[in-house]
């Protein structure tokens, strides 16, 4: 087969997402925050999903990138040919630390090995942190890695709004 | 807004049907198959196309793939059919939400009950395009897709994989329990002449040996894409009394709408069940029955986990218990004491006909037309489609009180 391998789809930043993707290129997770009620919205909708303002005037603010796993799936076939070389891979459904039910889906870069063994590291409630895949020059795509269990006494960094 | 009695309860009835062959790829265009099936349904009802003054469908071509949508080929909108069936249609409409079957049935019932039409043809035409069903060659993810596709979250397999795994993990359930559901669907589908799976039942061992696609979803947890068409005729209860078949009345319907904004195709388990429970509450209020009165709960199974979700949302078992409930023959339609949740074979046993097998089984059983699988005394049926939080359900009865 001489067909060139398909590439992963690249995000097309638009007026709702430009700052998100420019921050992601610098490996910073910056989420849209409603100027009216202060809630994060992912994705940022025309109408704030929390206070329903039609003028949410979102500002993109860096978040901790920390979260917990609510579910996962191991993708073994993808409709997107650009992911063929990555199969199988794990997608995690993550609730971010900053806000209840602020959920985001991305690849778990630890891979299916995180499910190995009798006491797998990937389980409901497992802690993860954001990571970025540089899929193209100037394009970073958010993903996750399992957070290393930290020794007791180390506190979570502040900065997020719960 | 509180729920309330459906004002048109039992005032509109299903009076006839037709179903095409279900094939991987039909030899003729979908539009032609649709027109023939529509004519057959009208004839089955003892009518002619001139008697049909309403045409309602839901024309969505439900693929994530990069296939062109072409009227009469991959999709058959109501206008397309109306222009070819007869010149008399005065009410031509399409449902655009998710849960296409309850959505379009509700629109048809309302048209008849309001007098916008006297007799409505409702139909669903589904197409399997050449090539891989969900393959998409997108190089740029624009609009809503930018939040998911670059990250590898794409299409309905990962969509259902996440809440299904959430269910298994939360309730310490084994995916092997689902064999009971899939084997039951395929057993019943294997007995239906037009089914893609006719004479091809599945064993639990075959189910468990099937390759995983998006863990914990394996190949046989998914219905197979097909070309197929089904059509039904609905008319007023008064008119139905003059027609050849025993009418089956629509008692009520309800559809869900997610309460939270999510990423595209992100259907967390709590969204499904919290909104789904509310969908069920409104369904029972509208129709005036509850789970204890239902003889025939035909649950949606386009992906097998929906059977668990509907069992729990409708109140046939507590949350987290469906994986146990379906064991030990309790959903075996061959047992007189079994709860026949897939006696019509469902989508897993027929092919990707959306909620048509559920609706058809309610109609056939309640009209006394189910042949060898006719259940004595079946009076009330529920036909579900899609997810309890995004789709909906319709209650049918043979005996309007
Ligand atoms: Zn707001």
């Amino acid at each position: 087969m001489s067909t060139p391998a398909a590439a992963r789809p690249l995000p097309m930043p638009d007026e709702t997402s430009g700052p998100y993707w420019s921050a992601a290129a610098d490996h910073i997770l910056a989420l849209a925050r409603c100027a009216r009620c202060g809630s994060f919205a992912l994705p940022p909708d025309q109408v704030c999903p929390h206070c329903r303002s039609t003028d949410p005037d979102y500002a993109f603010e860096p978040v901790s990138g920390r979260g917990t796993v609510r579910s996962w799936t191991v993708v073994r076939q993808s409709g997107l040919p650009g992911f063929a070389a990555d199969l199988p891979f794990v997608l995690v459904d993550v609730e971010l630390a900053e806000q209840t039910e602020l959920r985001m889906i991305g690849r778990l870069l630890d891979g299916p090995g995180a499910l190995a063994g009798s006491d797998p590291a990937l389980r409901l409630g497992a802690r993860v942190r954001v990571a970025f895949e540089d899929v193209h020059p100037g394009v970073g795509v958010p993903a996750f890695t399992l957070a290393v269990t930290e020794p007791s006494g180390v506190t979570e960094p502040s900065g997020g709004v719960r | 807004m509180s729920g309330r009695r459906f004002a048109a309860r039992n005032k509109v009835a299903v009076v006839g049907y037709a179903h095409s062959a279900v094939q991987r790829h039909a030899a003729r265009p979908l539009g032609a198959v649709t027109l023939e099936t529509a004519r057959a349904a009208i004839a089955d009802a003892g009518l002619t196309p001139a008697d049909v003054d309403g045409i309602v469908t839901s024309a969505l071509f439900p693929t994530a793939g990069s296939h062109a949508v072409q009227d009469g080929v991959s999709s058959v909108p109501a206008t397309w059919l109306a222009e070819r069936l007869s010149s008399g249609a005065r009410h031509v409409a399409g449902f655009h939400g998710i849960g296409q079957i309850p959505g379009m049935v509700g629109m048809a019932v309302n048209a008849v009950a309001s007098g916008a039409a006297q007799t409505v043809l409702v139909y669903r035409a589904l197409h399997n395009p050449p090539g891989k069903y969900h393959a998409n060659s997108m190089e740029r993810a624009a609009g809503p897709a930018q939040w998911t596709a670059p990250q590898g979250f794409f299409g309905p397999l990962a969509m259902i994989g996440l809440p299904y795994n959430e269910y298994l993990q939360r309730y310490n359930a084994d995916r092997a329990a689902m064999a009971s559901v899939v084997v039951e669907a395929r057993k019943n589908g294997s007995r239906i002449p037009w089914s893609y799976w006719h004479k091809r039942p599945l064993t639990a061992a075959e189910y468990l040996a099937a390759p995983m696609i998006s863990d914990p979803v394996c190949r046989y947890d998914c219905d197979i894409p097909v070309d197929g068409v089904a059509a039904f005729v609905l008319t007023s209860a008064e008119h139905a009394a003059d027609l050849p078949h025993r009418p089956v009345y629509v008692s009520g319907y309800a559809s869900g709408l997610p309460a939270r904004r999510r990423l595209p195709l992100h259907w967390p388990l709590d969204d499904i069940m919290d909104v789904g429970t509310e969908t069920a509450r409104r369904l029972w209020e509208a129709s005036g029955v509850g789970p204890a009165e239902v003889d025939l709960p035909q649950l949606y199974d386009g992906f097998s986990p929906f059977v668990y979700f509907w069992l729990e949302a409708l109140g046939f078992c507590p949350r987290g218990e469906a994986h146990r409930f379906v064991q030990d023959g309790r959903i075996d339609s061959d047992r007189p004491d079994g709860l026949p949740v897939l006696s019509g074979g469902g989508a897993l046993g027929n092919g990707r006909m959306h909620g048509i097998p559920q609706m058809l089984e309610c109609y056939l059983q309640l009209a006394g037309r189910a042949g060898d699988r006719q259940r004595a005394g079946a009076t009330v049926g529920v036909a579900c489609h899609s997810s309890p939080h995004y789709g909906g359900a319709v209650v049918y009865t043979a005996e309007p009180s």
Side-chain angles (χ1 to χ4, degrees):
Chain A
M1 298 291 280
S2 59
T3 314
R8 283 173 55 168
L10 300 178
M12 283 275 281
D14 55 33
E15 64 279 3
T16 72
S17 65
Y20 178 89
W21 289 114
S22 57
D26 296 331
H27 290 200
I28 295 167
L29 184 64
L31 299 185
R33 196 169 184 191
C34 173
R36 308 291 159 240
C37 72
S39 299
F40 290 102
L42 181 64
D45 190 56
Q46 290 176 12
V47 178
C48 172
H50 302 280
C51 70
R52 307 202 184 252
S53 168
T54 54
D55 185 22
D57 194 17
Y58 295 116
F60 285 78
E61 287 189 14
V63 294
S64 68
R66 292 171 180 272
T68 54
V69 171
R70 295 292 302 267
S71 190
W72 69 88
T73 181
V74 183
V75 178
R76 299 178 190 276
Q77 292 179 15
S78 176
L80 298 170
F83 282 92
D86 295 304
L87 297 173
F89 62 87
V90 178
L91 285 173
V92 280
D93 173 354
V94 172
E95 182 170 4
L96 295 173
E98 275 71 18
Q99 183 175 295
T100 301
E101 285 297 323
L102 181 63
R103 280 163 85 161
M104 183 166 157
I105 296 169
R107 277 155 43 84
L108 185 75
L109 301 181
D110 307 69
L115 289 162
S118 58
D119 184 21
L122 178 54
R123 61 187 190 282
L124 291 193
R127 290 173 179 269
V128 292
R129 59 196 318 165
V130 75
F132 290 85
E133 294 185 278
D134 294 312
V135 296
H136 191 77
V139 180
V141 171
F144 293 94
T145 57
L146 287 166
V148 178
T149 307
E150 296 178 12
S152 59
V154 177
T155 53
E156 295 282 308
S158 60
V161 196
R162 283 205 82 98
Chain B
M1 277 191 302
S2 61
R4 65 199 67 164
R5 182 187 204 279
F6 182 42
R9 185 189 293 174
N10 301 336
K11 292 182 177 173
V12 178
V14 185
V15 292
Y17 85 103
H19 204 301
S20 78
V22 176
Q23 300 167 288
R24 280 293 269 166
H25 297 284
R28 289 177 313 119
L30 190 65
V33 177
T34 304
L35 181 55
E36 287 179 1
T37 307
R39 287 174 175 154
I42 294 164
D44 181 65
L47 299 168
T48 69
D51 300 316
V52 172
D53 58 355
I55 297 178
V56 175
T57 193
S58 185
L60 178 74
F61 179 27
T63 171
S66 46
H67 309 287
V69 177
Q70 190 181 350
D71 290 356
V73 176
S74 53
S75 169
V76 185
T79 46
W80 191 99
L81 187 65
E83 288 166 2
R84 289 159 180 82
L85 181 65
S86 73
S87 57
R90 58 196 170 116
H91 184 82
V92 180
F95 176 79
H96 291 285
I98 297 177
Q100 291 83 13
I101 308 304
M104 72 182 192
V105 168
M107 289 177 69
V109 169
N110 293 346
V112 173
S114 69
Q118 185 190 43
T119 300
V120 176
L121 178 88
V122 294
Y123 67 96
R124 185 74 174 108
L126 283 148
H127 179 54
N128 180 30
K132 294 191 75 173
Y133 193 80
H134 290 305
N136 192 312
S137 56
M138 74 164 79
E139 296 175 351
R140 300 259 185 259
Q146 72 181 295
W147 304 102
T148 50
Q151 297 84 345
F153 180 53
F154 179 81
L157 292 158
M159 176 200 81
I160 192 65
L162 289 173
Y164 183 32
N165 194 39
E166 200 172 355
Y167 183 98
L168 295 184
Q169 300 294 327
R170 184 182 298 180
Y171 299 119
N172 198 24
D174 186 342
R175 67 166 284 269
M178 193 64 84
S180 300
V181 171
V182 179
V183 167
E184 171 70 8
R186 288 283 298 273
K187 176 201 78 182
N188 294 323
S190 75
R191 299 170 181 172
I192 294 177
W194 54 72
S195 164
Y196 174 75
W197 297 111
H198 183 49
K199 296 185 177 172
R200 287 186 286 178
L202 189 77
T203 66
E206 288 169 326
Y207 171 78
L208 294 171
M212 301 299 281
I213 297 176
S214 192
D215 302 15
V217 174
C218 78
R219 175 190 291 164
Y220 292 132
D221 290 312
C222 312
D223 59 1
I224 191 166
V226 293
D227 282 335
V229 181
F232 298 84
V233 177
L234 275 66
T235 194
S236 65
E238 294 77 18
H239 188 207
D242 301 328
L243 298 176
H245 298 295
R246 185 197 302 169
V248 173
Y249 302 87
V250 178
S251 299
Y253 64 91
S255 293
L257 191 66
R260 288 181 191 275
R261 292 274 307 157
R262 297 287 189 189
L263 295 168
L265 294 185
H266 186 202
W267 292 12
L269 181 62
D270 287 334
D271 287 17
I272 293 172
M273 295 311 303
D274 291 349
V275 178
T277 301
E278 173 63 13
T279 305
R281 189 189 65 76
R282 286 191 281 104
L283 180 73
W284 304 136
E285 276 186 336
S287 60
V289 302
E293 285 88 36
V294 176
D295 306 300
L296 209 66
Q298 294 291 294
L299 307 180
Y300 183 64
D301 64 336
F303 292 116
S304 61
F306 286 130
V307 173
Y308 288 179
F309 303 156
W310 277 110
L311 269 173
E312 297 176 10
L314 291 172
F316 289 100
C317 67
R319 277 200 207 184
E321 290 292 327
H323 65 106
R324 282 188 272 271
F325 182 88
V326 299
Q327 306 304 316
D328 305 320
R330 278 188 289 272
I331 61 166
D332 182 352
S333 65
D334 289 349
R335 285 174 39 159
D337 60 341
L339 189 70
V341 303
L342 285 162
S343 57
L348 293 171
N350 282 275
R352 184 169 299 159
M353 289 300 296
H354 271 181
I356 286 294
Q358 287 77 9
M359 176 180 181
L360 180 58
E361 179 68 355
C362 286
Y363 172 67
L364 292 176
Q365 291 282 353
L366 302 184
R369 301 180 70 185
D372 291 344
R373 68 176 185 280
Q374 182 68 47
R375 298 179 72 84
T379 304
V380 176
V382 176
C384 306
H385 181 213
S386 188
S387 167
H389 81 313
Y390 242 131
V394 181
V395 174
Y396 296 94
T397 183
E399 295 174 2
S401 50

